[in-house]
Amino acid sequence: MNIFSAPNKNARTAWLAKAIHHLYPIFQFSEASSSHSDLRSIIQPYLNDERYHYAQYQFCFPNLIQPETFLNVRASFGESGLYGLDTHKASATDPIADVQLAYNCHLLNSTINSSASFHKADVISSTDKLLLGQQLLIEGNSPTFKIKGESSSLRYEIEVSLCSPVSWLAKSWLYDHLNCMTRYSGYIQTNSKHDEVQGTGTFDFVRSALASTPKSYARELIGSLPVYFVTQHMLNLDAQTQVIFYRMDLAGKPLCNTVLIRHSGGLCEVYDDVIFSVIQYQPSPMQSPNGHDTLVAEQFEWTVYDNNGDVRLSVYGQLNSLPYTGYGQGYIAGFKFKAQQLNSVSHGHGMMAHVDIMDPQNLDQKSFNEQYGGEFMPKT
């Protein structure tokens, strides 16, 4: 997505990426929907599973009491096999090499941000409970969850109900990514401030069989797939309408580029004709856990077109929180938006998870200044 070169990929991975693009229909992107009873056997952490080596839970809670705007809770296990979404280089000497854990909790607002994260903890799993150390407990299964979390500056307990329909951003025998609207209620406590919260949010679950076990020959032969750009945006246009934008590039070409417009009555509009562009980057990139720089999109916009080629929705966004590492090699951040659809305009706050990896050795300062303005200084 960015104007700089991404990290180099080996010939085998490049060939596999081309093959996946040619076999694109097998992945059935943007498909909806499934019943919640079907999901009970799917939503699980897949610890030491023979087929799946990665799982991700992500709960997003907007419409909080000001000045907070979003609470985002994300837990992932293992390796996805997608370069931009993996943060840990497995080693035979690593005692948790087969169960790599990343937990991140971010409370986003325009002035103060609370966050907690860790990469190693005891994980206890049963059919209806998932405990990560002392920091996070997920109880239940589709369609109802209760999540409890606690850190030095943040405590929360929230009940979550999944709504129909369930949308598949990816669905295949190798990689699944489901997303659905949620209704939530509970409390969030920061220091001495206690707020009762309720509203409409989202739930994402991902499982992947793309990564072989870290010690396998296939792992050494192929490596991770060259996914260097991923962006997912969530915003509520009003109390009845929610919008999800998701784009994933494989080897520099869009593999999924989808907008979901959900309505509280159960209707979900799916659009695949979407143009996304970054208007302004922040002056300095963020350092990813694997040592690559990921660009931070300060201002951006995306436009959705219907089957007739007419504009269905246009969104302009600008970051209004600090970007936090916690989404693969990218970050999670809050933004304020202006959205226009048909004859109406709405304003509000959204949340984005974003990966945009670059190779600082190929930085073109002049091109960056001409196209995006400002100074761009890679971290040393």
Side-chain angles (χ1 to χ4, degrees), residues 114-345:
S114 299
S115 68
S117 64
F118 60 81
H119 293 276
K120 292 186 179 182
D122 293 329
V123 181
I124 301 175
S125 175
S126 66
T127 55
D128 60 352
K129 287 186 180 181
L130 179 60
L131 178 64
L132 284 67
Q134 300 297 315
Q135 288 84 1
L136 177 66
L137 172 65
I138 301 175
E139 296 182 289
N141 203 328
S142 178
T144 305
F145 294 90
K146 177 183 283 188
I147 66 169
K148 301 177 182 178
E150 184 172 354
S151 66
S152 58
S153 60
L154 178 65
R155 177 181 295 178
Y156 55 90
E157 182 173 327
I158 304 175
E159 293 188 2
V160 181
S161 296
L162 308 188
C163 303
S164 295
V166 176
S167 300
W168 293 90
L169 295 170
K171 191 174 189 299
S172 73
W173 46 276
L174 284 174
Y175 187 85
D176 292 330
H177 182 173
L178 65 89
N179 173 282
C180 66
M181 179 187 286
T182 66
R183 302 291 186 188
Y184 69 87
S185 63
Y187 74 85
I188 297 174
Q189 183 174 326
T190 54
N191 299 321
S192 59
K193 185 172 178 282
H194 180 100
D195 291 326
E196 299 292 326
V197 296
Q198 62 177 356
T200 302
T202 60
F203 170 70
D204 284 86
F205 180 80
V206 177
R207 66 178 181 179
S208 175
L210 289 168
S212 304
T213 57
K215 302 174 186 178
S216 73
Y217 174 73
R219 179 83 185 152
E220 297 177 2
L221 183 68
I222 297 175
S224 296
L225 288 177
V227 171
Y228 303 132
F229 181 83
V230 183
T231 193
Q232 180 171 349
H233 302 189
M234 181 271 176
L235 55 93
N236 289 338
L237 295 179
D238 51 47
Q240 288 77 40
T241 312
Q242 179 184 89
V243 180
I244 304 295
F245 168 50
Y246 184 75
R247 173 169 167 174
M248 175 189 289
D249 287 7
L250 175 63
K253 298 180 180 179
L255 187 63
C256 178
N257 188 37
T258 299
V259 164
L260 308 174
I261 302 178
R262 295 201 182 99
H263 305 271
S264 58
L267 174 66
C268 180
E269 305 173 47
V270 181
Y271 298 94
D272 295 316
D273 189 357
V274 188
I275 295 178
F276 172 78
S277 60
V278 176
I279 300 171
Q280 177 74 51
Y281 288 109
Q282 286 194 351
S284 297
M286 293 184 66
Q287 189 77 41
S288 72
N290 279 13
H292 289 287
D293 288 318
T294 186
L295 299 175
V296 179
E298 178 74 29
Q299 300 177 47
F300 51 88
E301 61 185 358
W302 39 276
T303 305
V304 185
Y305 296 90
D306 62 20
N307 293 333
N308 298 321
D310 299 323
V311 175
R312 172 63 179 86
L313 173 69
S314 60
V315 173
Y316 165 81
Q318 181 174 3
L319 253 61
N320 68 341
S321 82
L322 295 174
Y324 274 99
T325 57
Y327 183 73
Q329 297 197 54
Y331 61 87
I332 292 173
F335 62 88
K336 59 182 179 181
F337 70 83
K338 175 183 177 181
Q340 184 166 354
Q341 56 173 338
L342 303 177
N343 297 320
S344 66
V345 177

Side-chain angles (χ1 to χ4, degrees), residues 1-6 228-229 281 295 356-358 372:
M1 180 62 197
N2 63 66
I3 61 175
F4 308 111
S5 300
Y228 303 132
F229 181 83
Y281 288 109
L295 299 175
D356 197 353
I357 301 171
M358 61 167 288
Y372 301 104

